[in-house]
Amino acid sequence: MRTSHSQYLTMVEFMEANGDLSKPSGGPRGRNFIQMKWKELTGILNSDSSGDPKSEDKWRKEEISTERPNTEIILKEPEIDWNTPSTSSQPTVAPPPQTEASPPVIDEEEWNPPPQKKRKSNLTKMFLDIDRKATEYASERDRVYEELERDRLRVREFEVRERVRQRDEELRMQGQWLEFMKEAMEAFVRFMERKS
């Protein structure tokens, strides 16, 4: 893809008017501004039929990676000293002085700018919205935490009661076993006494 001389000149003039587009500054707004300017420059350069059209990325690389032509030679006007005698056969005639027309007088009582409405900026509205959502999220988080903690305590209490119940059952069964063994021993002792 070939870039024409007029496209280079257009790019240089645009950069001189809008600053260096390869170095965004000013945070997100600066980046937005640079992107808009690149789109605008791409449209201008692609509308020039003397060179090939390119995508925005290709123009960015073109601007960064290639040497610009020496435009100073082309843009300079020839230096002529007009005060040199004999440069003209006609006598020098100065242009008539320009008279400044006085601006029309506007009666201050006639026109007043309309009163501006006080409204919250989008940024303030956004911060208030974010703060409200953060408060709602924090209260919801606390509520869920408390609910989970209550559930955890209920489960813990149930586990403790179940362990106590199981231990009581074990002790009751051990008590019955001991009672049975006591009766069995007494029966064995009586049996042994009868045999002897």
Side-chain angles (χ1 to χ4, degrees), residues 123-140:
L123 188 61
T124 306
K125 187 176 179 180
M126 184 177 69
F127 277 124
L128 290 173
D129 191 40
I130 289 171
D131 187 47
R132 181 183 53 77
K133 286 181 181 178
T135 306
E136 288 173 4
Y137 174 76
S139 64
E140 179 66 16

Side-chain angles (χ1 to χ4, degrees), residues 2 22 39 45 52 56 73 83 104 123 143 145 156 159 163 170:
R2 184 170 163 80
S22 65
K39 284 181 184 171
L45 294 172
D52 294 333
E56 186 178 323
I73 296 170
N83 292 324
L123 188 61
R143 185 190 65 74
Y145 173 77
R156 179 79 176 138
E159 288 173 351
R163 284 187 196 148
E170 287 174 6

